[in-house]
Amino acid sequence: MKLMRKGLLITGAVIIILGVVIFFIGIYLSSGITSGIASLVTGIHNETMISPGSSIVVNTNETGAAVTVVYNDTLGKPLQVITSGPGQLEVESVEGQYVVIYVPEASPSTLSLVNNYSENAMVYYTYGAININTLMPLALSTIISIGLIIVGIILLILGAVLKSK
């Protein structure tokens, strides 16, 4: 029984370590997403004056890529966001800036920021595309890691609780 207890403790520890290693492999394989986000933050910032009814158009050339636009404007109000096709669209205000994320269902597609106010607006913006598929290794490794760590913890608890006869 003592050998079984020791075996459970060792097996549990090895499974937890394996879970952690798989998680970090997933992070490494998904490193493309971090470069896409970094280019959005540090990329070229555009500025455009748009009159009432005018728009800024961002083309999307890749199905499954999230087009992200980060902007603010001199009006301090959100611009209207129009897409040329179906897809998932999210618009959020974050610390005085507006973040637009659009994942088109078909390609090519466009996303437009429209000045629907009665005065001109200077818009300061940056945009980029982030391929959603680069998140898949991270998502899968996270799920697998959580499962392995739970199993490892259960084995450690069983190994610690079992008493030798």
Side-chain angles (χ1 to χ4, degrees), residues 6-25 141-159:
K6 187 176 179 182
L8 284 174
L9 290 172
I10 292 171
T11 304
V14 168
I15 289 176
I16 289 173
I17 292 169
L18 181 63
V20 170
V21 168
I22 288 174
F23 177 73
F24 283 114
I25 289 172
S141 71
T142 301
I143 292 168
I144 291 169
S145 295
I146 289 171
L148 287 173
I149 290 171
I150 290 171
V151 169
I153 289 172
I154 291 170
L155 291 175
L156 284 175
I157 291 170
L158 285 173

Side-chain angles (χ1 to χ4, degrees), residues 59-129:
N59 293 315
T60 64
N61 297 323
E62 193 177 337
T63 303
V67 176
T68 306
V69 179
V70 179
Y71 76 93
N72 62 11
D73 57 57
T74 54
L75 298 174
K77 302 180 216 173
L79 300 173
Q80 181 181 14
V81 179
I82 299 175
T83 60
S84 66
Q88 295 177 343
L89 176 68
E90 289 290 326
V91 180
E92 294 290 329
S93 175
V94 179
E95 296 182 19
Q97 296 201 38
Y98 299 98
V99 179
V100 179
I101 300 174
Y102 172 55
V103 181
E105 290 180 9
S107 185
S109 187
T110 59
L111 176 137
S112 302
L113 301 174
V114 180
N115 180 358
N116 57 347
Y117 300 103
S118 59
E119 55 190 292
N120 290 340
M122 178 64 82
V123 181
Y124 306 94
Y125 66 100
T126 184
Y127 63 91

